[in-house]
PDB file of all heavy atoms in Angstrom:
ATOM      1  N   ALA B  41     -18.597  23.091 -46.593  1.00  0.00           N
ATOM      2  CA  ALA B  41     -19.155  21.740 -46.599  1.00  0.00           C
ATOM      3  C   ALA B  41     -20.424  21.708 -45.759  1.00  0.00           C
ATOM      4  O   ALA B  41     -21.321  20.894 -46.000  1.00  0.00           O
ATOM      5  CB  ALA B  41     -18.127  20.756 -46.042  1.00  0.00           C
ATOM      6  N   TYR B  42     -20.547  22.607 -44.778  1.00  0.00           N
ATOM      7  CA  TYR B  42     -21.758  22.680 -43.952  1.00  0.00           C
ATOM      8  C   TYR B  42     -22.329  24.068 -44.088  1.00  0.00           C
ATOM      9  O   TYR B  42     -22.071  24.939 -43.267  1.00  0.00           O
ATOM     10  CB  TYR B  42     -21.422  22.379 -42.489  1.00  0.00           C
ATOM     11  CG  TYR B  42     -20.765  21.043 -42.313  1.00  0.00           C
ATOM     12  CD1 TYR B  42     -19.375  20.928 -42.236  1.00  0.00           C
ATOM     13  CD2 TYR B  42     -21.539  19.886 -42.241  1.00  0.00           C
ATOM     14  CE1 TYR B  42     -18.773  19.700 -42.100  1.00  0.00           C
ATOM     15  CE2 TYR B  42     -20.940  18.648 -42.095  1.00  0.00           C
ATOM     16  CZ  TYR B  42     -19.549  18.566 -42.028  1.00  0.00           C
ATOM     17  OH  TYR B  42     -18.961  17.337 -41.893  1.00  0.00           O
ATOM     18  N   ARG B  43     -23.116  24.279 -45.150  1.00  0.00           N
ATOM     19  CA  ARG B  43     -23.578  25.638 -45.464  1.00  0.00           C
ATOM     20  C   ARG B  43     -24.528  26.209 -44.433  1.00  0.00           C
ATOM     21  O   ARG B  43     -24.455  27.389 -44.095  1.00  0.00           O
ATOM     22  CB  ARG B  43     -24.234  25.672 -46.849  1.00  0.00           C
ATOM     23  CG  ARG B  43     -23.204  25.774 -47.935  1.00  0.00           C
ATOM     24  CD  ARG B  43     -23.819  25.621 -49.312  1.00  0.00           C
ATOM     25  NE  ARG B  43     -22.772  25.291 -50.260  1.00  0.00           N
ATOM     26  CZ  ARG B  43     -22.071  26.195 -50.921  1.00  0.00           C
ATOM     27  NH1 ARG B  43     -22.319  27.467 -50.771  1.00  0.00           N
ATOM     28  NH2 ARG B  43     -21.118  25.811 -51.737  1.00  0.00           N
ATOM     29  N   THR B  44     -25.439  25.393 -43.897  1.00  0.00           N
ATOM     30  CA  THR B  44     -26.398  25.889 -42.918  1.00  0.00           C
ATOM     31  C   THR B  44     -25.654  26.353 -41.672  1.00  0.00           C
ATOM     32  O   THR B  44     -25.906  27.428 -41.139  1.00  0.00           O
ATOM     33  CB  THR B  44     -27.396  24.804 -42.513  1.00  0.00           C
ATOM     34  OG1 THR B  44     -27.736  24.079 -43.696  1.00  0.00           O
ATOM     35  CG2 THR B  44     -28.622  25.378 -41.876  1.00  0.00           C
ATOM     36  N   SER B  45     -24.720  25.504 -41.240  1.00  0.00           N
ATOM     37  CA  SER B  45     -23.937  25.837 -40.059  1.00  0.00           C
ATOM     38  C   SER B  45     -23.175  27.138 -40.287  1.00  0.00           C
ATOM     39  O   SER B  45     -23.096  27.994 -39.398  1.00  0.00           O
ATOM     40  CB  SER B  45     -22.973  24.683 -39.779  1.00  0.00           C
ATOM     41  OG  SER B  45     -22.233  24.950 -38.644  1.00  0.00           O
ATOM     42  N   PHE B  46     -22.641  27.325 -41.512  1.00  0.00           N
ATOM     43  CA  PHE B  46     -21.911  28.547 -41.841  1.00  0.00           C
ATOM     44  C   PHE B  46     -22.842  29.757 -41.752  1.00  0.00           C
ATOM     45  O   PHE B  46     -22.495  30.787 -41.160  1.00  0.00           O
ATOM     46  CB  PHE B  46     -21.306  28.448 -43.245  1.00  0.00           C
ATOM     47  CG  PHE B  46     -20.799  29.771 -43.755  1.00  0.00           C
ATOM     48  CD1 PHE B  46     -19.640  30.321 -43.254  1.00  0.00           C
ATOM     49  CD2 PHE B  46     -21.509  30.465 -44.722  1.00  0.00           C
ATOM     50  CE1 PHE B  46     -19.186  31.558 -43.703  1.00  0.00           C
ATOM     51  CE2 PHE B  46     -21.071  31.689 -45.186  1.00  0.00           C
ATOM     52  CZ  PHE B  46     -19.901  32.236 -44.687  1.00  0.00           C
ATOM     53  N   ALA B  47     -24.052  29.618 -42.341  1.00  0.00           N
ATOM     54  CA  ALA B  47     -24.996  30.745 -42.335  1.00  0.00           C
ATOM     55  C   ALA B  47     -25.361  31.121 -40.898  1.00  0.00           C
ATOM     56  O   ALA B  47     -25.371  32.306 -40.539  1.00  0.00           O
ATOM     57  CB  ALA B  47     -26.245  30.368 -43.121  1.00  0.00           C
ATOM     58  N   LEU B  48     -25.622  30.096 -40.062  1.00  0.00           N
ATOM     59  CA  LEU B  48     -25.986  30.368 -38.669  1.00  0.00           C
ATOM     60  C   LEU B  48     -24.842  31.038 -37.928  1.00  0.00           C
ATOM     61  O   LEU B  48     -25.052  31.989 -37.173  1.00  0.00           O
ATOM     62  CB  LEU B  48     -26.357  29.060 -37.964  1.00  0.00           C
ATOM     63  CG  LEU B  48     -27.745  28.518 -38.282  1.00  0.00           C
ATOM     64  CD1 LEU B  48     -27.941  27.150 -37.631  1.00  0.00           C
ATOM     65  CD2 LEU B  48     -28.819  29.490 -37.822  1.00  0.00           C
ATOM     66  N   ALA B  49     -23.623  30.536 -38.166  1.00  0.00           N
ATOM     67  CA  ALA B  49     -22.475  31.097 -37.464  1.00  0.00           C
ATOM     68  C   ALA B  49     -22.230  32.543 -37.875  1.00  0.00           C
ATOM     69  O   ALA B  49     -21.870  33.385 -37.054  1.00  0.00           O
ATOM     70  CB  ALA B  49     -21.229  30.250 -37.733  1.00  0.00           C
ATOM     71  N   THR B  50     -22.448  32.851 -39.172  1.00  0.00           N
ATOM     72  CA  THR B  50     -22.252  34.231 -39.646  1.00  0.00           C
ATOM     73  C   THR B  50     -23.286  35.160 -39.005  1.00  0.00           C
ATOM     74  O   THR B  50     -22.964  36.265 -38.559  1.00  0.00           O
ATOM     75  CB  THR B  50     -22.368  34.290 -41.175  1.00  0.00           C
ATOM     76  OG1 THR B  50     -21.501  33.301 -41.719  1.00  0.00           O
ATOM     77  CG2 THR B  50     -21.984  35.642 -41.720  1.00  0.00           C
ATOM     78  N   LEU B  51     -24.551  34.660 -38.963  1.00  0.00           N
ATOM     79  CA  LEU B  51     -25.609  35.453 -38.325  1.00  0.00           C
ATOM     80  C   LEU B  51     -25.297  35.658 -36.846  1.00  0.00           C
ATOM     81  O   LEU B  51     -25.443  36.762 -36.314  1.00  0.00           O
ATOM     82  CB  LEU B  51     -26.956  34.730 -38.455  1.00  0.00           C
ATOM     83  CG  LEU B  51     -27.719  35.006 -39.749  1.00  0.00           C
ATOM     84  CD1 LEU B  51     -28.997  34.195 -39.784  1.00  0.00           C
ATOM     85  CD2 LEU B  51     -28.037  36.490 -39.862  1.00  0.00           C
ATOM     86  N   GLY B  52     -24.858  34.579 -36.177  1.00  0.00           N
ATOM     87  CA  GLY B  52     -24.525  34.653 -34.766  1.00  0.00           C
ATOM     88  C   GLY B  52     -23.415  35.652 -34.522  1.00  0.00           C
ATOM     89  O   GLY B  52     -23.456  36.434 -33.578  1.00  0.00           O
ATOM     90  N   ASN B  53     -22.409  35.647 -35.414  1.00  0.00           N
ATOM     91  CA  ASN B  53     -21.285  36.566 -35.330  1.00  0.00           C
ATOM     92  C   ASN B  53     -21.754  38.010 -35.431  1.00  0.00           C
ATOM     93  O   ASN B  53     -21.310  38.888 -34.692  1.00  0.00           O
ATOM     94  CB  ASN B  53     -20.333  36.217 -36.471  1.00  0.00           C
ATOM     95  CG  ASN B  53     -18.960  36.822 -36.266  1.00  0.00           C
ATOM     96  OD1 ASN B  53     -18.691  37.876 -36.817  1.00  0.00           O
ATOM     97  ND2 ASN B  53     -18.135  36.185 -35.472  1.00  0.00           N
ATOM     98  N   ALA B  54     -22.704  38.254 -36.356  1.00  0.00           N
ATOM     99  CA  ALA B  54     -23.249  39.605 -36.509  1.00  0.00           C
ATOM    100  C   ALA B  54     -24.050  39.970 -35.259  1.00  0.00           C
ATOM    101  O   ALA B  54     -23.958  41.090 -34.751  1.00  0.00           O
ATOM    102  CB  ALA B  54     -24.104  39.705 -37.760  1.00  0.00           C
ATOM    103  N   ALA B  55     -24.831  39.003 -34.752  1.00  0.00           N
ATOM    104  CA  ALA B  55     -25.708  39.277 -33.602  1.00  0.00           C
ATOM    105  C   ALA B  55     -24.889  39.605 -32.367  1.00  0.00           C
ATOM    106  O   ALA B  55     -25.193  40.554 -31.640  1.00  0.00           O
ATOM    107  CB  ALA B  55     -26.617  38.078 -33.310  1.00  0.00           C
ATOM    108  N   ILE B  56     -23.810  38.844 -32.147  1.00  0.00           N
ATOM    109  CA  ILE B  56     -23.034  39.026 -30.925  1.00  0.00           C
ATOM    110  C   ILE B  56     -22.336  40.385 -30.921  1.00  0.00           C
ATOM    111  O   ILE B  56     -22.209  41.035 -29.890  1.00  0.00           O
ATOM    112  CB  ILE B  56     -22.028  37.856 -30.758  1.00  0.00           C
ATOM    113  CG1 ILE B  56     -21.707  37.635 -29.295  1.00  0.00           C
ATOM    114  CG2 ILE B  56     -20.745  38.078 -31.517  1.00  0.00           C
ATOM    115  CD1 ILE B  56     -21.081  36.298 -29.029  1.00  0.00           C
ATOM    116  N   THR B  57     -21.942  40.860 -32.113  1.00  0.00           N
ATOM    117  CA  THR B  57     -21.271  42.148 -32.153  1.00  0.00           C
ATOM    118  C   THR B  57     -22.297  43.286 -32.155  1.00  0.00           C
ATOM    119  O   THR B  57     -21.987  44.380 -31.706  1.00  0.00           O
ATOM    120  CB  THR B  57     -20.357  42.272 -33.380  1.00  0.00           C
ATOM    121  OG1 THR B  57     -21.129  41.988 -34.548  1.00  0.00           O
ATOM    122  CG2 THR B  57     -19.218  41.284 -33.315  1.00  0.00           C
ATOM    123  N   LEU B  58     -23.519  42.980 -32.601  1.00  0.00           N
ATOM    124  CA  LEU B  58     -24.557  44.013 -32.601  1.00  0.00           C
ATOM    125  C   LEU B  58     -24.976  44.365 -31.167  1.00  0.00           C
ATOM    126  O   LEU B  58     -25.520  45.427 -30.918  1.00  0.00           O
ATOM    127  CB  LEU B  58     -25.769  43.539 -33.411  1.00  0.00           C
ATOM    128  CG  LEU B  58     -26.785  44.599 -33.824  1.00  0.00           C
ATOM    129  CD1 LEU B  58     -26.124  45.639 -34.708  1.00  0.00           C
ATOM    130  CD2 LEU B  58     -27.966  43.982 -34.547  1.00  0.00           C
ATOM    131  N   LEU B  59     -24.680  43.445 -30.229  1.00  0.00           N
ATOM    132  CA  LEU B  59     -25.072  43.667 -28.839  1.00  0.00           C
ATOM    133  C   LEU B  59     -24.523  44.976 -28.284  1.00  0.00           C
ATOM    134  O   LEU B  59     -25.210  45.659 -27.519  1.00  0.00           O
ATOM    135  CB  LEU B  59     -24.558  42.525 -27.965  1.00  0.00           C
ATOM    136  CG  LEU B  59     -25.465  41.330 -27.816  1.00  0.00           C
ATOM    137  CD1 LEU B  59     -24.915  40.425 -26.750  1.00  0.00           C
ATOM    138  CD2 LEU B  59     -26.863  41.764 -27.480  1.00  0.00           C
ATOM    139  N   ASP B  60     -23.260  45.314 -28.634  1.00  0.00           N
ATOM    140  CA  ASP B  60     -22.692  46.554 -28.152  1.00  0.00           C
ATOM    141  C   ASP B  60     -23.526  47.736 -28.600  1.00  0.00           C
ATOM    142  O   ASP B  60     -23.661  48.732 -27.889  1.00  0.00           O
ATOM    143  CB  ASP B  60     -21.275  46.767 -28.704  1.00  0.00           C
ATOM    144  CG  ASP B  60     -20.367  45.632 -28.338  1.00  0.00           C
ATOM    145  OD1 ASP B  60     -20.574  45.053 -27.273  1.00  0.00           O
ATOM    146  OD2 ASP B  60     -19.456  45.320 -29.137  1.00  0.00           O
ATOM    147  N   PHE B  61     -24.082  47.600 -29.799  1.00  0.00           N
ATOM    148  CA  PHE B  61     -24.908  48.694 -30.302  1.00  0.00           C
ATOM    149  C   PHE B  61     -26.229  48.742 -29.545  1.00  0.00           C
ATOM    150  O   PHE B  61     -26.784  49.818 -29.315  1.00  0.00           O
ATOM    151  CB  PHE B  61     -25.139  48.572 -31.809  1.00  0.00           C
ATOM    152  CG  PHE B  61     -25.638  49.849 -32.421  1.00  0.00           C
ATOM    153  CD1 PHE B  61     -24.865  50.995 -32.366  1.00  0.00           C
ATOM    154  CD2 PHE B  61     -26.874  49.919 -33.019  1.00  0.00           C
ATOM    155  CE1 PHE B  61     -25.318  52.189 -32.903  1.00  0.00           C
ATOM    156  CE2 PHE B  61     -27.344  51.107 -33.561  1.00  0.00           C
ATOM    157  CZ  PHE B  61     -26.566  52.249 -33.499  1.00  0.00           C
ATOM    158  N   VAL B  62     -26.717  47.555 -29.138  1.00  0.00           N
ATOM    159  CA  VAL B  62     -27.938  47.501 -28.314  1.00  0.00           C
ATOM    160  C   VAL B  62     -27.700  48.282 -27.022  1.00  0.00           C
ATOM    161  O   VAL B  62     -28.560  49.038 -26.583  1.00  0.00           O
ATOM    162  CB  VAL B  62     -28.338  46.039 -28.022  1.00  0.00           C
ATOM    163  CG1 VAL B  62     -29.452  45.980 -26.989  1.00  0.00           C
ATOM    164  CG2 VAL B  62     -28.769  45.345 -29.311  1.00  0.00           C
ATOM    165  N   ALA B  63     -26.507  48.113 -26.426  1.00  0.00           N
ATOM    166  CA  ALA B  63     -26.189  48.846 -25.190  1.00  0.00           C
ATOM    167  C   ALA B  63     -26.278  50.335 -25.431  1.00  0.00           C
ATOM    168  O   ALA B  63     -26.869  51.077 -24.643  1.00  0.00           O
ATOM    169  CB  ALA B  63     -24.790  48.467 -24.711  1.00  0.00           C
ATOM    170  N   ILE B  64     -25.683  50.798 -26.545  1.00  0.00           N
ATOM    171  CA  ILE B  64     -25.703  52.229 -26.868  1.00  0.00           C
ATOM    172  C   ILE B  64     -27.146  52.686 -27.092  1.00  0.00           C
ATOM    173  O   ILE B  64     -27.566  53.745 -26.613  1.00  0.00           O
ATOM    174  CB  ILE B  64     -24.821  52.508 -28.105  1.00  0.00           C
ATOM    175  CG1 ILE B  64     -23.359  52.229 -27.745  1.00  0.00           C
ATOM    176  CG2 ILE B  64     -24.995  53.941 -28.597  1.00  0.00           C
ATOM    177  CD1 ILE B  64     -22.413  52.254 -28.922  1.00  0.00           C
TER     178      ILE B  64
END
Side-chain angles (χ1 to χ4, degrees):
Chain B
Y42 303 96
R43 278 172 199 271
T44 320
S45 181
F46 168 74
L48 282 174
T50 309
L51 274 178
N53 196 263
I56 207 163
T57 54
L58 196 61
L59 271 190
D60 302 328
F61 196 62
V62 171
I64 293 171

